[in-house]
Amino acid sequence: MIPPGAVLLLERLSPAVAADVLSRLASDAMDTLLSRSPLTAPFVARVVAHGTHRQHLAIVANPSVGTGIRERFLDQGDPELTAAVYRSHSTTRGLQRRVRTMLPPASLLPGPQELAGWQGGRIEYRLYPLVESDDRGTVVAALTYLAPYTRSPGALAAILRGYQQLLRLSGPDAVRDIAGIRPDLQLRPPRENVPPEVHSAFENPTDPGCLAHALARLGSTEYLADQLANADLSSTDAHSLLIAPRDDELDWDILSEGLPPSARRHFAFLFAREPGCPPQLLPVDRRDRKPTSGRAEPADPADRAGLDELMRTSSASAPRVLDALRAGRLPAADYVAHGAPAVYALATLLTGGPVLCAEASAALTEPTARHLGEHTDAWVAAVKLLPDFPGTTHELLESAAAMTAP
């Protein structure tokens, strides 16, 4: 096991030893950390620059990794990484369309195990770009595999775009064939709030005018805003809508002005992945505050004693410690130096948002340089000691240095 708090240690890795340390830590446990734990921007930068190919594959799946990192991986032209970007649950329509130009479309179809549900998770978002392929077989396969997901909000546009592609590639008989073979691709009631032009397109799937009219409606930002304003819409379904086929770019003015505040907050992390997202739609992390320095000690000695006691307790008290850290009553540097066990202290800081992470990172700069420096063995030892180490983070670094000293 590599605890999430190890991220705050490893983001201080010296570039001189970063590749060696990350290579030594390569394991299933490291893959789990990279793919599932919250990651900081400095740590991601270290892994992108110095990590192994396996670690790159793992980090692509992490929802806290931004679109820009995935674009950098696509720039490498590595087929395995490219496919991983396509499969990521945090991918975007733009990324997927780029991948479709880099790999054979048929290679992006889900495999038998995924289709059987053995690997878990919804896969319809991976089918949407494939209905736009110029390969008839890929379009037919994607439409066929979409059948279990026809109630997903983005599936309406995907099915109709698939019909439109088949009509263009092979003519109306091909559309009639797939609609006849898979009647479950039809619009099934109840479908509240489905625009009338969409109903018409499903009733006349070989009519190019009906298809175009319906797709223009489904691909409009106005339709997207209407759907996102639904208080019952899940994040998964919102992602389905954002990644579904559309011809026009998102109109950010419509989303900024037309969405209720609750929807803007709830889906901000999805908007942040899209190019051109305006500042008012980016996530606002209420956990953050402005960095402060030189904070005065609490005036009440009992308050100070209470904080000292909190710093020596385990995860059960993490919310109370976070409250003190966010309020500025407990400096992050103090918690790095005196909070124990180290595994809980670092994990608590990691969950506190970018500002607390930056303060913790600054507080770790000097002790990691002094105790671990450019000694690969010491860095590896610190990470391996972390899960069960009873003392503070400073004591952890001292112990790792001592046990690996020549």
Side-chain angles (χ1 to χ4, degrees), residues 19-192:
D20 287 342
V21 171
L22 290 172
S23 177
R24 289 269 300 275
L25 291 173
S27 62
D28 291 343
M30 187 63 164
D31 291 348
T32 299
L33 175 80
L34 292 173
S35 61
R36 300 180 186 175
S37 294
L39 305 179
T40 64
F43 174 73
V44 171
R46 286 282 188 274
V47 175
V48 171
H50 304 287
T52 66
H53 186 261
R54 172 177 172 175
Q55 289 165 352
H56 289 171
L57 288 171
I59 208 170
V60 161
N62 195 300
S64 64
V65 172
T67 298
I69 297 297
R70 293 186 174 89
E71 288 174 340
R72 288 178 60 183
F73 284 137
L74 292 186
D75 290 341
Q76 296 180 19
D78 179 274
E80 198 172 5
L81 269 176
T82 299
V85 169
Y86 186 88
R87 291 192 302 267
S88 169
H89 285 276
S90 301
T91 195
T92 64
R93 174 164 167 77
L95 289 171
Q96 286 190 318
R97 294 186 77 185
R98 183 179 171 190
V99 170
R100 214 183 71 216
T101 69
M102 300 172 68
L103 296 176
S107 71
L108 299 172
L109 288 165
Q113 291 186 348
E114 295 168 298
L115 293 171
W118 298 347
Q119 295 182 349
R122 290 167 55 168
I123 60 170
E124 76 271 22
Y125 72 99
R126 290 166 52 185
L127 300 170
Y128 293 172
L130 300 181
V131 300
E132 302 179 280
S133 171
D134 289 328
D135 177 66
R136 180 184 181 279
T138 299
V139 176
V140 170
L143 283 171
T144 302
Y145 298 159
L146 266 175
Y149 303 102
T150 51
R151 292 193 180 275
S152 178
L156 294 176
I159 294 169
L160 294 181
R161 179 56 59 84
Y163 288 166
Q164 188 182 57
Q165 277 294 90
L166 282 182
L167 193 61
R168 183 180 68 84
L169 293 170
S170 304
D173 286 345
V175 178
R176 294 190 192 100
D177 286 346
I178 188 66
I181 294 171
R182 299 306 303 246
D184 43 6
L185 287 175
Q186 297 303 308
L187 188 62
R188 293 180 291 175
R191 266 298 195 184
E192 301 84 358

Side-chain angles (χ1 to χ4, degrees), residues 365-383:
T365 300
E366 189 279 330
T368 52
R370 174 159 45 92
H371 293 298
L372 309 182
E374 297 184 357
H375 304 291
T376 299
D377 290 345
W379 279 102
V380 173
V383 173

Side-chain angles (χ1 to χ4, degrees), residues 282-330:
L282 290 173
V284 177
D285 193 338
R286 291 185 176 181
R287 300 169 298 180
D288 289 342
R289 51 181 167 72
K290 293 181 179 179
T292 56
S293 58
R295 298 190 194 91
E297 293 292 308
D300 185 349
D303 191 14
R304 177 73 252 180
L307 292 176
D308 288 343
E309 180 181 355
L310 276 182
M311 287 196 291
R312 289 284 177 172
T313 54
S314 63
S315 59
S317 297
R320 295 167 60 199
V321 176
L322 265 180
D323 287 343
L325 287 163
R326 291 167 181 163
R329 292 185 295 113
L330 174 60

Side-chain angles (χ1 to χ4, degrees), residues 250-262:
L250 292 174
D251 188 325
W252 292 110
D253 289 338
I254 291 174
L255 293 175
S256 298
E257 298 167 8
L259 287 179
S262 58

Side-chain angles (χ1 to χ4, degrees), residues 312-364:
R312 289 284 177 172
T313 54
S314 63
S315 59
S317 297
R320 295 167 60 199
V321 176
L322 265 180
D323 287 343
L325 287 163
R326 291 167 181 163
R329 292 185 295 113
L330 174 60
D334 282 5
Y335 194 40
V336 167
H338 306 297
V343 65
Y344 292 133
L346 293 174
T348 301
L349 288 162
L350 183 65
T351 60
V355 172
L356 277 180
C357 285
E359 292 182 357
S361 181
L364 284 165

